RNA sequence: GGACGGCUAGCUCAGUUGGUUAGAGCAACUGGUUUACACCCAGUAGGUCACAGGUUCGAGUCCUGUGUCGUCCA
């Protein structure tokens, strides 16, 4: 074995072996419980980020743990076609060649995009393999696969037939950069420093009188059709029915009254631009005002804006029109103003509210989706996201699902050629095109990407084809066991998958009929949802490509190993909190692996390895009469650790799991047990027993760690002889009770009292080390110690004296009747312990130290005494707390006396 | 404007239903290559638990308010 663990070779070799042995295939084995996870499909052309590392490490931990527990596990991988993102990338590449998608035409463009996808796509999947992800790669799914596409189209048709899908002329969020409509969820509100312009409009009926109106968007004045006031606003009550002159492209416009006007904003008068503002649109509809559309799809002004402005880009037009207003004396005031502006999530440009004909979806199963979470059929971890989820569902708006893109699932709607498209009589909506296809033309649009990925848990498992569902095990693996994702897509994806599952899984219900409660558990797509935190950089900024602050996970893997990266990232991932990334933690992950490697190496160097393939065989090597307190204590701590880990996994407390294992492995096992057993392994009487205990501990440590660090644990599993040819993957660490039972077949009974005793011994050892260290004697093994103690305590000490001296590094531990004079001392659970020094003691420094301790102890004794004398405490506090306080008092009083004695012995 | 979350050692964070003297890792400092590991070991120091009130025998923990940072929704 190498002195330092070398992950690269091990990881590549073992991953190949696991694939070769088909360890990750999700098999339908009805005699076993199923455990399934569907991966949140990354963008097909994306690359691995730290967010993916976190997310997928967690999924892998869950999958591997379930495999250890003997479940039949399916972790289903795949990728998302990511409509806008991918199309944008492909178009950008085309642009570099001087071409546009229009030059290619739809079909050529899609072929081109597919080539692009096949070339750049799937990189991320290879990266996941490097990370060690145990996905069933034979079931890899892409959302544009033929089967998957059929499912998407089928869902659309089903929803249309049930009346959930409709086409309508509506205000939508328009992205002038991507040239498509977006859903509300794809609009990011960002606070912006804008200018609030106060503009005057002349009142026609009262020449010379003006109304002042505030707006941040003066370029839309050319689209104004009215001014509006609140009907209850006393300032403007007599303006109703009068008219004003539009200051740009002068034209008379009515003044109307509408309750939607905000009285307190600006002057309380609102300009109405119906075609370019959602609220204005609603008001205009109520008042039967004309729509004046002055913007082109790309955000430039059109002919209706007038010859002076036509063709001008929207933000230039804003300046030009403001200048014109100023020139004409119609601009009263400009002030800085912070407002929220909606940006396109993908293109990051301000969106334009625009009147447009689109396909909309009225969400199915909203009530049932709420119920599924409220009634606990779906559990969120952490729970507080439930509130966010329910709030969104309570305020849910219809979903604009058509996108003016080519990369995606083309909407299965055909229109009669030459007829009105808005009339449903001229529609053919079906999975199959009409038979007289040349009489029809298909809708040019594609579906929102999320309108395909919301079917992910269903469509990846064969839905809606009966045969495919059987083959892929929909009934066996669905609902999936857990979903692991970020809270940023709770609306985009999580909520929508829940609604899709409720609507489509199982037998159909009419849209006005609720799904019966009894069917909710089998229709929901997953039982648990674990929301990860968002990974931030060391300054707390969100990691992003544009900031360049995200490290490349592959670099980290090369530097620290996949196991090191996984361990590191998991140890800093508190439940539901954002994660501050730090490379130091990844380094710690690597160090952890190295420590594990070395303690295993040490074990293999101590003696020939025995047959370790079955736990019982190891247990039988233990001789009950040789078993000492160290042995008992480490086994008891192992029992505790097994149970704690089990419990913490149930609550998805991953970093607590890691901490628990770390403590047992590093502090209890390496720092204490291994050190203490060094002497005993040298003696033939205790050697076998001691090594057997080491083997039991190592075996369970490997099993506990395997989900987190799969490579090194598998490697050591073989090297330490636990394997007997079999991978660690199918072995469970088991519970504490199971371990106790196995131990009992060797006739071993553990006494939990030794835990306290060992705790005291460890305190003693720490004190003794400290006595030495403070005098720079830590490398001197010839120092002697003396102590004064009762018979009972002396008895314990004599039993442990050997390991105490080994671990402390001392030559003798002598019991004396009276405190020796002039020696430095510390008070321990066993009384005062004296460092036997013949020379060089700084008496005044020793005194000062003991004096300080004395003050501290007196303070504690005082406060506990006061507490016990307080009748309110003794009458109200529970008995065990009072008992604890009494105990504390006795203990500290004893210490106090010892300290006094040690102090007086100094002089 | 509303909702949620954070504020504990220099840094990153634990701290379960209120109950002994508030913990860990990293960093710092001191010492150390003793038959695993310097990717290591031992030791030391470091905290008015954001602030102000309140409930309680007892508050980091519960309640109210304030500040501050962040996220989401308007």
């Amino acid at each position: 074995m190498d002195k330092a663990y070398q992950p690269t070779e091990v990881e590549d070799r073992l991953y190949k072996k696991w694939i070769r042995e088909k360890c990750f295939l999700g098999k339908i084995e009805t005699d076993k419980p199923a455990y399934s996870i569907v991966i949140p499909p990354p963008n097909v052309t994306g690359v691995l980020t730290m967010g993916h590392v976190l997310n997928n490490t967690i999924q892998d931990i869950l999958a591997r743990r379930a495999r250890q527990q003997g479940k039949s596990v399916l972790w289903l991988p795949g990728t998302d076609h990511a409509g806008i993102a991918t199309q944008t990338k492909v178009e950008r590449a085309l642009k570099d060649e001087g071409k546009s998608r229009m030059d290619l035409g739809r079909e050529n463009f899609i072929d081109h995009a597919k080539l692009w996808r096949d070339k750049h796509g799937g990189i991320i999947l290879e990266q996941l393999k490097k990370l060690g992800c145990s996905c069933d790669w034979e079931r890899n799914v892409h959302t544009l696969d033929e089967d998957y596409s059929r499912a998407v189209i089928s869902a659309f048709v089903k929803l249309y037939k049930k009346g959930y899908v409709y086409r309508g002329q509506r205000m939508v969020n328009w992205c002038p950069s991507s040239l498509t409509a977006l859903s509300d969820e794809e609009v990011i509100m960002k606070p912006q420093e804008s200018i609030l312009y106060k503009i005057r409009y002349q009142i026609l009926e009262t020449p010379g009188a003006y109304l002042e109106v505030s707006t941040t968007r003066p370029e839309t004045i050319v689209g104004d059709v009215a001014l509006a006031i609140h009907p209850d606003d006393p300032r403007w009550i007599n303006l109703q029915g009068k008219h004003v002159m539009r200051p740009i492209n002068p034209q008379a416009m009515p003044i109307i009254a509408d309750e939607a006007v905000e009285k307190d904003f600006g002057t309380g008068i609102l300009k109405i631009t119906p075609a370019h503002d959602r609220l204005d649109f609603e008001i205009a509809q109520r008042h039967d005002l004309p729509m004046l559309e002055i913007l082109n799809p790309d955000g430039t002004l059109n002919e209706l804006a007038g010859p002076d402005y036509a063709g001008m880009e929207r933000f230039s037009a804003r300046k030009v029109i403001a200048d014109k207003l100023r020139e004409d004396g119609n601009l009263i005031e400009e002030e800085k103003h912070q407002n929220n502006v909606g940006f396109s999530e993908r293109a990051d440009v301000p969106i334009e509210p625009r009147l447009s004909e689109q396909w909309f979806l009225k969400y199915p199963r909203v009530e049932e989706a709420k119920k599924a979470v409220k009634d606990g059929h779906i559990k969120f971890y952490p729970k507080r996201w439930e509130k966010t989820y329910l709030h969104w569902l309570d305020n849910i708006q219809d979903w604009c699902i058509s996108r003016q893109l080519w990369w995606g699932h083309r909407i299965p709607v055909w229109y009669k050629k030459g007829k009105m498209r808005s009339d449903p009589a001229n529609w053919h909506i079906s999975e199959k095109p009409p038979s007289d296809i040349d009489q029809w033309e298909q809708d040019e649009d594609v579906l929102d990407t999320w309108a395909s990925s919301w079917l992910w848990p269903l469509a990846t498992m064969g839905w809606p084809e009966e045969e495919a569902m059987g083959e892929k095990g929909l009934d066996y693996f669905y609902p999936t066991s857990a979903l692991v994702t970020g809270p940023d897509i709770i609306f985009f994806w999580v909520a929508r998958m829940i609604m899709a599952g409720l609507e489509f899984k199982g037998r159909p219900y009419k849209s006005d009929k609720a799904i019966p409660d009894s069917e909710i558990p089998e229709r929901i797509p997953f039982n648990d949802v674990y929301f990860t935190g968002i990974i931030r950089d060391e300054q707390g900024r969100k990691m992003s490509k544009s900031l360049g602050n995200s490290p490349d996970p592959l670099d980290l893997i090369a530097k620290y190993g996949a196991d090191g990266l996984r361990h590191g990232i998991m140890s800093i991932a508190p439940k539901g909190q954002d994660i501050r990334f730090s490379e130091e933690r990844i380094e710690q992950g690597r160090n952890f692996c190295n420590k594990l490697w070395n303690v295993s190496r040490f074990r293999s160097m101590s003696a020939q390895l025995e047959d370790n393939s079955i736990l019982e065989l190891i247990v039988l090597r233990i001789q009950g009469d040789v078993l000492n307190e160290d042995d008992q204590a480490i086994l008891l701590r192992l029992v505790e650790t097994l149970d704690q880990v089990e419990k913490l996994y149930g609550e998805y407390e991953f970093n607590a799991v890691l901490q628990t294992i770390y403590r047992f492995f590093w502090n209890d096992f390496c720092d204490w047990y291994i050190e203490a057993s060094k002497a005993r392994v040298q003696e033939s009487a205790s050697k076998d027993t001691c090594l057997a205990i080491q083997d039991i501990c190592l075996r369970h440590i490997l099993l506990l760690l395997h989900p987190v660090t799969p490579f090194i644990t598998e490697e050591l599993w073989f090297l330490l002889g636990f394997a007997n040819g079999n991978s660690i993957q199918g072995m469970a660490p088991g519970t504490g009770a199971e371990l106790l039972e196995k131990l009992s077949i060797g006739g071993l009974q553990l006494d939990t009292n030794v835990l306290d005793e060992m705790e005291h011994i460890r305190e003693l050892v720490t004190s003794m080390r400290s006595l030495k260290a403070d005098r720079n004697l830590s490398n001197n093994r010839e120092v002697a110690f003396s102590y004064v103690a009762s018979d009972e305590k002396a008895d314990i000490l004599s039993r442990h004296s050997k390991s105490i001296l080994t671990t402390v590094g001392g030559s003798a531990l002598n019991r004396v009747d009276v405190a020796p004079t002039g020696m430095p001392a510390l008070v321990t659970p066993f009384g005062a312990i004296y460092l036997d020094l013949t020379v060089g003691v700084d008496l005044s420094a020793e005194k000062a130290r003991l004096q300080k301790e004395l003050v501290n102890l007196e303070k504690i004794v005082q406060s506990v005494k006061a507490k016990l004398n307080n009748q309110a405490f003794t009458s109200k506090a529970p008995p065990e707390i009072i008992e604890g306080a009494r105990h504390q008092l006795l203990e500290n009083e004893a210490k106090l006396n010892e300290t006094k004695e040690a102090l007086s012995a100094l002089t």
Side-chain angles (χ1 to χ4, degrees):
Chain A
M1 283 175 85
D2 286 332
K3 191 170 167 183
Y5 175 57
Q6 308 292 345
T8 313
E9 184 273 331
V10 173
E11 289 174 1
D12 289 347
R13 168 164 50 81
L14 289 180
Y15 201 82
K16 279 191 196 122
K17 185 190 94 166
W18 290 333
I19 294 292
R20 198 170 56 238
E21 292 175 359
K22 298 187 180 298
C23 300
F24 305 153
L25 298 195
K27 299 189 210 85
I28 305 166
E29 297 169 285
T30 43
D31 54 325
K32 288 184 184 174
Y35 189 90
S36 56
I37 296 180
V38 287
I39 204 169
N43 289 2
V44 65
T45 60
V47 291
L48 201 68
T49 65
M50 287 312 293
H52 291 118
V53 169
L54 173 65
N55 201 272
N56 288 290
T57 299
I58 293 173
Q59 292 172 67
D60 199 40
I61 288 171
L62 295 172
R64 286 180 183 274
R65 199 174 120 82
R67 245 176 243 121
Q68 281 186 306
Q69 290 167 332
K71 294 178 185 166
S72 180
V73 174
L74 170 64
W75 182 12
L76 205 155
T79 51
D80 193 306
H81 67 282
I84 298 179
T86 306
Q87 179 159 327
T88 308
K89 274 190 203 168
V90 175
E91 284 193 84
R92 202 173 296 143
L94 274 177
K95 204 176 167 188
D96 292 343
E97 299 171 31
K99 290 188 222 158
S100 80
R101 68 170 153 134
M102 299 306 165
D103 298 336
L104 267 69
R106 184 169 193 136
E107 282 184 17
N108 282 334
F109 177 81
I110 290 174
D111 287 344
H112 184 79
K114 280 184 182 160
L115 284 175
W116 167 278
R117 173 193 66 193
D118 296 340
K119 189 172 160 206
H120 300 271
I123 294 174
I124 198 162
L125 300 179
E126 293 308 312
Q127 291 175 314
L128 289 176
K129 291 177 188 171
K130 279 269 173 209
L131 187 62
C133 294
S134 60
C135 304
D136 181 350
W137 298 109
E138 294 183 14
R139 291 179 66 147
N140 190 39
V141 177
H142 176 57
T143 48
L144 280 181
D145 285 348
E146 238 175 79
D147 298 354
Y148 199 100
S149 300
R150 269 204 298 276
V152 174
I153 298 308
S154 154
F156 180 91
V157 173
K158 284 186 165 78
L159 289 165
Y160 172 73
K161 287 188 176 151
K162 289 174 77 171
Y164 288 115
V165 169
Y166 64 93
R167 184 176 169 81
Q169 172 96 348
R170 291 281 201 96
M171 260 311 182
V172 295
N173 308 296
W174 182 263
C175 174
S177 170
S178 316
L179 301 179
T180 178
L182 301 173
S183 65
D184 295 344
E185 287 69 31
E186 286 162 292
V187 177
I188 313 289
M189 299 308 282
K190 293 195 201 175
Q192 296 290 305
E193 286 297 336
S194 310
I195 295 168
L196 191 61
Y197 299 86
K198 200 183 269 181
I199 295 154
R200 61 175 200 177
Y201 289 64
Q202 192 181 9
I203 304 173
L204 284 180
E205 283 81 357
T206 328
Y210 293 88
L211 285 180
E212 292 174 0
V213 179
S214 294
T215 179
T216 54
R217 302 200 58 193
E219 74 277 14
T220 62
I221 291 176
V222 293
D224 282 358
V225 299
L227 292 188
I229 53 162
H230 195 280
D232 300 339
D233 193 334
R235 291 173 293 179
W236 313 121
I237 195 77
N238 51 7
L239 286 174
Q240 275 193 61
K242 293 190 176 164
H243 294 78
V244 290
M245 185 61 89
R246 188 165 62 197
I248 302 280
N249 297 349
Q251 189 182 328
M253 313 188 298
I255 300 170
I256 57 160
D258 193 284
E259 308 226 323
V261 177
E262 241 184 282
K263 277 187 281 189
D264 302 330
F265 182 79
T267 54
I269 307 175
L270 184 66
K271 65 193 258 321
I272 303 295
T273 317
H276 302 289
D277 183 278
R278 197 167 280 217
L279 180 70
D280 293 7
F281 174 76
E282 285 168 22
I283 294 175
Q285 280 204 315
R286 284 198 282 271
H287 297 270
D288 212 15
L289 294 166
M291 302 286 146
L292 183 52
E293 217 179 321
I294 52 111
L295 284 172
N296 289 314
D298 65 356
T300 58
L301 275 64
N302 65 21
E303 315 78 62
L304 292 177
D308 293 348
Y309 311 110
M312 208 175 265
E313 195 271 330
R314 51 185 170 153
F315 299 111
S316 326
R318 179 175 302 174
K319 286 202 191 75
V320 172
I321 287 178
D323 288 344
K324 170 81 169 123
L325 289 165
R326 199 176 295 118
E327 255 171 54
D328 295 349
N330 289 325
L331 184 56
I332 310 293
E333 202 178 289
E334 294 168 72
E335 56 172 336
K336 285 208 175 116
H337 174 72
Q338 210 192 43
N339 63 338
N340 280 319
V341 176
F343 279 68
S344 153
E345 189 209 14
R346 285 288 159 194
D348 200 33
V349 296
I351 60 108
E352 208 53 65
R354 180 162 177 258
L355 198 57
S356 154
E357 194 157 333
Q358 301 285 346
W359 288 99
F360 292 90
L361 175 69
K362 185 174 154 353
Y363 285 96
R365 308 302 161 197
V366 175
E367 290 312 311
E368 292 93 325
K370 288 186 213 166
K371 206 166 198 332
V373 169
K374 274 188 196 157
D375 293 357
H377 301 300
I378 298 174
K379 290 200 180 72
F380 283 6
Y381 298 85
K383 199 170 163 39
R384 63 187 153 83
W385 292 110
E386 287 180 4
K387 214 168 168 177
T388 309
Y389 167 87
L390 292 170
H391 182 258
W392 184 74
L393 284 173
D394 282 338
N395 297 283
I396 198 160
Q397 302 287 323
D398 292 353
W399 178 10
C400 175
I401 51 171
S402 43
R403 294 289 176 277
Q404 287 65 57
L405 303 172
W406 289 348
W407 183 244
H409 303 97
R410 193 161 175 182
I411 294 176
V413 176
W414 287 262
Y415 305 99
K416 261 247 170 73
K417 279 184 185 166
K419 303 275 175 148
M420 287 274 290
R421 281 194 172 195
S422 50
D423 182 357
N426 301 321
W427 296 354
H428 171 95
I429 299 186
S430 158
E431 284 149 73
K432 298 255 165 6
S435 47
D436 51 342
I437 183 76
D438 36 322
Q439 306 295 310
W440 302 78
E441 51 197 3
Q442 190 174 1
D443 196 304
E444 284 76 19
D445 293 349
V446 300
L447 289 168
D448 180 4
T449 303
W450 297 105
S452 61
S453 45
W454 76 324
L455 301 171
W456 190 246
L458 288 165
T460 51
M461 294 195 208
W463 185 88
E465 308 292 335
E466 280 303 331
E467 201 180 320
M469 291 193 284
E471 243 168 63
K472 297 191 169 167
L474 182 74
D475 282 337
Y476 181 65
F477 287 118
Y478 190 102
T480 62
S481 312
L483 179 77
V484 180
T485 189
D488 48 335
I489 52 175
I490 190 166
F491 313 135
F492 279 114
W493 198 47
V494 179
R496 286 168 176 167
M497 274 193 286
I498 293 172
M499 290 186 275
L502 288 163
E503 171 64 21
F504 294 121
K505 175 69 166 57
R507 57 186 172 137
Y509 280 90
K510 287 194 173 145
S511 54
D512 57 355
K513 199 142 193 285
I515 307 283
D517 285 3
S518 60
E519 285 188 29
I520 288 181
E522 66 208 43
R523 297 175 81 110
I524 51 175
F526 28 71
N527 294 311
D528 290 352
V529 183
Y530 178 84
F531 290 108
T532 64
I534 290 167
I535 305 215
R536 300 179 173 279
D537 70 4
E538 280 166 66
Q539 283 111 56
R541 297 173 306 179
K542 214 166 164 174
M543 282 190 173
S544 74
K545 244 180 270 167
S546 55
L547 276 172
N549 57 351
S550 177
D552 182 347
L554 289 188
D555 290 347
L556 294 173
I557 289 175
K559 217 163 147 190
Y560 303 111
D563 284 336
L565 175 60
R566 292 165 62 116
H567 189 282
I569 198 86
M570 290 315 297
S571 70
I572 50 174
K575 187 165 71 177
Q577 221 68 295
D578 283 2
I579 294 141
R580 199 68 70 92
F581 179 78
S582 104
E583 192 164 331
E584 275 170 12
R585 301 299 286 262
I586 309 303
E587 203 179 315
Q588 282 173 49
R590 177 204 52 186
N591 295 353
F592 184 88
C593 293
N594 191 56
K595 184 81 174 174
L596 181 61
W597 178 261
N598 267 292
V599 78
S600 302
R601 192 163 74 96
F602 182 58
R603 165 62 189 94
S604 69
M605 280 159 48
S606 298
Q608 195 71 38
L609 292 162
E610 314 242 358
D611 182 358
N612 275 342
S613 59
I614 300 170
L615 179 55
E616 284 85 341
L617 282 176
I618 311 176
V619 170
L620 290 174
R621 303 207 314 260
I622 300 173
Q623 286 172 263
D625 51 340
V626 181
L627 201 73
N628 74 2
E629 287 84 354
D630 282 316
D631 300 326
Q632 294 214 43
I634 195 72
L635 290 173
L636 283 163
R637 281 286 297 122
L638 176 57
V639 166
E640 261 177 30
T641 302
L642 289 169
D643 288 338
Q644 273 170 24
V645 167
E646 177 82 19
K647 178 169 164 274
L648 290 166
Y649 266 121
E651 292 152 17
Y652 294 91
E653 297 272 10
F654 296 105
N655 70 330
V657 166
L658 267 277
Q659 206 180 8
T660 304
I661 301 175
Y662 183 101
R663 187 159 289 162
F664 174 73
F665 166 66
W666 204 302
N667 302 129
D668 294 321
F669 185 64
C670 293
D671 288 348
W672 187 259
Y673 186 75
I674 289 286
E675 289 308 318
S677 64
K678 274 178 180 171
R680 295 172 63 221
V681 170
Q682 298 303 312
E683 287 173 29
S684 55
S686 49
K687 181 174 179 176
D688 288 346
T689 295
C690 202
L691 289 174
I693 306 277
Q694 286 185 16
D695 287 347
I696 290 173
C697 291
L698 280 168
R699 182 181 183 277
H700 283 88
I701 288 164
L702 294 180
L703 289 167
L704 283 170
L705 282 170
H706 179 254
V708 183
T709 53
F711 295 109
I712 188 173
T713 48
E714 174 85 319
E715 181 73 356
L716 291 172
W717 187 252
F718 279 86
L719 287 174
L720 293 178
F722 297 117
N724 195 21
N726 295 318
S727 166
I728 191 172
Q729 292 176 99
M731 301 289 289
T735 63
E738 280 162 4
L739 175 59
L740 285 173
E741 199 191 309
K742 288 273 161 65
L743 291 171
S744 70
I745 60 146
L748 302 177
Q749 293 292 326
L750 302 181
D751 175 6
T752 49
N753 290 321
V754 306
L755 282 176
D756 280 343
E757 187 175 313
M758 287 314 301
E759 200 46 53
H760 289 155
I761 295 284
R762 280 165 78 162
E763 273 178 53
L764 172 76
V765 165
T766 299
S767 295
M768 290 166 73
R769 282 170 170 167
S770 155
L771 279 172
K772 282 179 68 185
D774 285 350
R775 285 152 201 87
N776 290 341
L777 294 170
S778 43
N779 61 339
N780 186 346
R781 306 186 71 76
E782 294 307 310
V783 292
F785 294 88
S786 305
Y787 64 93
V788 184
S790 64
D791 284 350
E792 190 197 349
K793 286 185 171 170
D795 182 48
I796 297 173
L797 283 184
S798 67
R799 272 193 281 119
H800 289 277
S801 66
K802 194 151 207 166
S803 70
I804 290 172
L805 289 171
T806 317
T807 45
V808 171
S811 60
L813 183 57
N814 303 316
R815 185 178 182 194
V816 292
D817 294 331
V818 287
T821 55
M823 286 189 195
L826 277 177
V827 175
T828 75
F830 295 96
I833 184 106
Y834 298 85
L835 177 60
D836 218 335
L837 279 181
T838 43
V839 286
V841 180
D842 180 348
L843 284 178
S844 61
E846 297 304 333
K847 264 194 208 167
R849 178 220 296 279
L850 287 171
Q851 201 68 50
K852 191 177 160 196
E853 181 62 15
L854 195 67
V855 171
N856 185 33
L857 285 166
E858 270 168 350
K859 222 162 66 191
I860 295 168
V861 167
Q862 279 310 317
S863 91
V864 182
K865 261 190 187 160
K867 191 192 266 186
L868 284 168
N869 287 335
N870 181 349
Q871 228 221 308
F873 174 71
T874 47
S875 62
K876 288 184 184 171
E880 65 272 19
I881 296 295
I882 298 171
E883 195 40 53
R886 289 221 175 85
H887 184 74
Q888 188 192 357
L889 180 63
L890 287 176
E891 210 166 73
N892 284 292
E893 273 177 341
K895 268 191 178 179
L896 186 66
N897 288 332
E898 304 279 3
T899 308
K900 277 181 184 158
E901 205 169 309
L903 198 54
S904 65
L906 264 184
T907 46

